[in-house]
Amino acid sequence: MGEFKVHRVRFFNYVPSGIRCVAYNNQSNRLAVSRTDGTVEIYNLSANYFQEKFFPGHESRATEALCWAKGQRLFSGGLNGEIIEYDLQALNIKYAMDAFGGPIWSMAVSPCGSQLLVGCEDGSVKLFQITPDKIQFERNFDRQKRSAVHKMLVDRQYMGVSKRKCIIWGVAFLSDGTVISVDSAGKVQFWDSATGTLVKNHLIANADVQSIAVSDQEDSFVVGTAEGTVFHFQLVSVTSNSSEKQWVRTKPFQHHTHDVRAVAHSPTALISGGTDTHLVIRPLMEKVEVKNYDAALRKITFPHRRLISCSKKRHLLLFQFAHHLELWRLGSTVATGKNGDTLPLSKDADHLLHLKTKGPENIICSCISPCGSWIAYSTTSRFFLYRLNYEHDNISLQRVSKMPAFLRSALQILFSEDSTKLFVASNQGSLHIIRLLEGSFKHLHTFQPQSGTVESMCLLAVSPDGNWLAASGTSAGVHVYNIKHLKLHCTVPAYNFPVTALAIAPSTNNLVIAHSDQQVFEYSIPDKQYTEWSRTIQKQGFHYLWLQRDTPITHISFHPKRPMHILLHDAYMFCIIDKSLPLPNDKTLLYNPLPPTNESDVIRRRTAHAFKISKIYKPLLFMDLLDERTLVAVERPLDDIIAQLPPPIKKKKFGT
């Protein structure tokens, strides 16, 4: 694997926003997740649970309701009283419409998928017709005071104290007329809607039951509590030969530390999220046909996109937060030691810059140039470019004015290796090339989207020689452009799974592409075909443990002096692939490829294989080479995130 000096960075103080709503789409097997900062994320559950799209947050958009409609259309509502529809192709807000009922607390689509109902703060329910292009107000159901068919009164007793009001947090209405309610007294209750009477009561928690979701077959449902527990209920036969069925609590799960604010029920899994920021997907073993890795628990904490960029020349790291950027200079040491030693710093890391955005919009993407002299970032409505000047330990910042409007809503920003060009991928599918001058810029060219599509380009890679630009869209396609001649060079053959990372190797101009199913391809840009190494590994296949990893590869790089090495990482491993060595088969130890160091070099070489994997650094948000002997690794321990969250509800443990 080679010896490297590693800068182990743990001062990226990133805390994901809590999860507020989840909505599952059975038609596309996709999951929409909204967070407390207004961000909405789309996960493709068929593509190894990859976060394939996201819509940046906004300070005035606190989402309280989220739902899918027919035709894979996504709507949300929140405290600002607006109904929002999202454009899943251009990755922006299609439109926002005031419901005129105050804050929106609930939202549902009719069974046929043609009508949208919205529950508002003023007690009214608004009915909208879903048209091909928009929604149209149809009817208003005012708050009912005297004409209710039944009034079901829940027990006001709360944890043994009768004076406190009991709050209903969620209701489900089944096709057989059963009403299920969850409340602040820790109860799940079943009601007969025909008579308005309580049929059954389950006290499941010593705190609020905050969320409920029912399966499409109505034979199973899931609830989440403020204690972090998720409970599963199933409709089962009373006896083995009986047709009579009853609801039974079957499985409690404790995968959260804080409130479970949102749950969803897919045909094969229970899905939950809440204050602790984790998205948890718990497969139902009886519903999973093959008991393989698809039956494993998934816990997703970090975005499947990069929040960190690096200036190798100046040893700088740029950290992206929701509303500001931080620029840090890495520390240094003059000490030496043996393998595994922690070396004392002779100079600590410096926090050089805190760049705060103006306005309520979240930052979509950001980047620092390799030379460290430029910083660029984008929000939904504006694009910012800054020139940095360094004088000894001082740094000054100069904003480049009059940036063109077509650069706003950029989804990806990338500088060329020599820091003379800036590449910007817009949410309309266009790719812009900007030449950087001393404190100014010049627009060189725009590559328009292919065949009239508006597919957004989410990932960019530029060759070190500056001649090639690769761009990947949300539909898993990769296009390669000739920068010198300003034209499309080729399109990589389509693949079924989304691209998670891509990079172009120096000297060979081979494009390495990682997909969400953990497959890695190498494509020769000059030859317009897959390389022989790529064909060999596709023929033999990857090791089964490699394919069973549950976090996507988010970064790929190359060693400047070792052209046969590919460096890549996900959240829980760093890997160097040595293409000169044989590939491991399923009988080989993937994570322990080398024998003890006292073995001879001949034996070590004979038993070694191409994949050298380290799991020392985790969770790993970023890793790259600063030079041929130095790595930088940015970790974000989960305990550090939990420590910054509000305290969870304390449970009384036995014997205390």
Side-chain angles (χ1 to χ4, degrees), residues 12-15 54 56 303 305-309 317-328 355 357 362-367 376-378 411-413 621:
F12 180 29
N13 194 26
Y14 171 72
V15 179
F54 82 100
R305 61 186 188 277
R306 288 174 57 189
L307 301 174
I308 302 165
S309 57
L317 291 176
L318 183 69
F319 297 146
Q320 177 183 319
F321 297 84
H323 293 282
H324 75 275
L325 302 174
E326 290 183 5
L327 183 64
W328 288 76
L355 185 58
T357 63
N362 283 20
I363 297 173
I364 302 174
C365 59
S366 62
C367 193
Y377 74 90
S378 177
L411 296 177
Q412 187 69 275
I413 304 169
L621 299 191

Side-chain angles (χ1 to χ4, degrees), residues 89-90 426-430 447-457 473-475 479 481:
Q89 292 298 317
S426 77
N427 66 343
Q428 298 298 320
S430 301
F447 293 111
Q448 296 297 339
Q450 300 300 308
S451 63
T453 65
V454 292
E455 180 191 21
S456 301
M457 294 296 171
T474 54
S475 65
H479 305 296
Y481 298 90

Side-chain angles (χ1 to χ4, degrees), residues 47 476 494-498 515:
Y495 189 66
N496 294 332
F497 288 83
H515 292 269

Side-chain angles (χ1 to χ4, degrees), residues 130 193 343 375 436 439 451 461 554:
I130 302 175
S193 64
L343 304 180
I375 287 178
L436 300 174
S451 63
T554 54

Side-chain angles (χ1 to χ4, degrees), residues 98-110:
D98 197 325
F100 294 103
I104 296 172
W105 292 102
S106 58
M107 183 178 281
V109 173
S110 62

Side-chain angles (χ1 to χ4, degrees), residues 19-190:
I19 293 174
R20 186 60 192 93
C21 310
V22 294
Y24 174 72
N25 186 325
N26 197 15
Q27 182 183 6
S28 64
N29 199 25
R30 282 174 168 80
L31 182 73
V33 176
S34 71
R35 296 188 178 267
T36 53
D37 68 347
T39 299
V40 174
E41 303 162 345
I42 310 295
Y43 292 83
N44 187 341
L45 304 193
S46 300
N48 206 11
Y49 304 90
F50 178 60
Q51 185 193 108
E52 62 180 3
K53 302 174 182 178
F54 82 100
F55 299 86
H58 193 285
E59 286 183 348
S60 68
R61 286 203 307 267
T63 304
E64 292 291 334
L66 196 64
C67 72
W68 294 90
K70 188 177 180 181
Q72 299 185 39
R73 295 172 67 177
L74 181 63
F75 296 89
S76 74
L79 300 184
N80 63 358
E82 290 183 340
I83 302 170
I84 293 173
E85 181 174 4
Y86 299 89
D87 189 327
L88 299 180
Q89 292 298 317
L91 297 188
N92 59 14
I93 290 177
K94 193 173 181 180
Y95 60 85
M97 176 185 294
D98 197 325
F100 294 103
I104 296 172
W105 292 102
S106 58
M107 183 178 281
V109 173
S110 62
C112 63
S114 62
Q115 293 174 311
L116 180 70
L117 293 102
V118 176
C120 301
E121 173 88 357
D122 64 359
S124 66
V125 175
K126 316 287 184 181
L127 177 65
F128 294 84
Q129 189 71 27
I130 302 175
T131 63
D133 297 321
K134 213 171 182 180
I135 58 173
Q136 184 175 341
F137 177 76
E138 189 171 302
R139 188 176 176 186
N140 184 69
F141 298 93
D142 290 327
R143 184 173 185 173
Q144 301 297 305
K145 295 183 178 179
R146 295 186 178 88
S147 60
V149 177
H150 292 295
K151 189 174 183 180
M152 306 174 191
L153 296 177
V154 298
D155 186 358
R156 286 178 176 267
Q157 186 172 359
Y158 182 89
M159 311 305 172
V161 180
S162 59
K163 293 182 179 180
R164 187 169 177 179
K165 182 182 291 186
C166 183
I167 301 171
I168 300 294
W169 287 119
V171 173
F173 197 109
L174 307 187
S175 57
D176 66 355
T178 300
V179 175
I180 308 172
S181 66
V182 297
D183 60 42
S184 61
K187 301 190 300 293
V188 176
Q189 295 183 311
F190 298 84

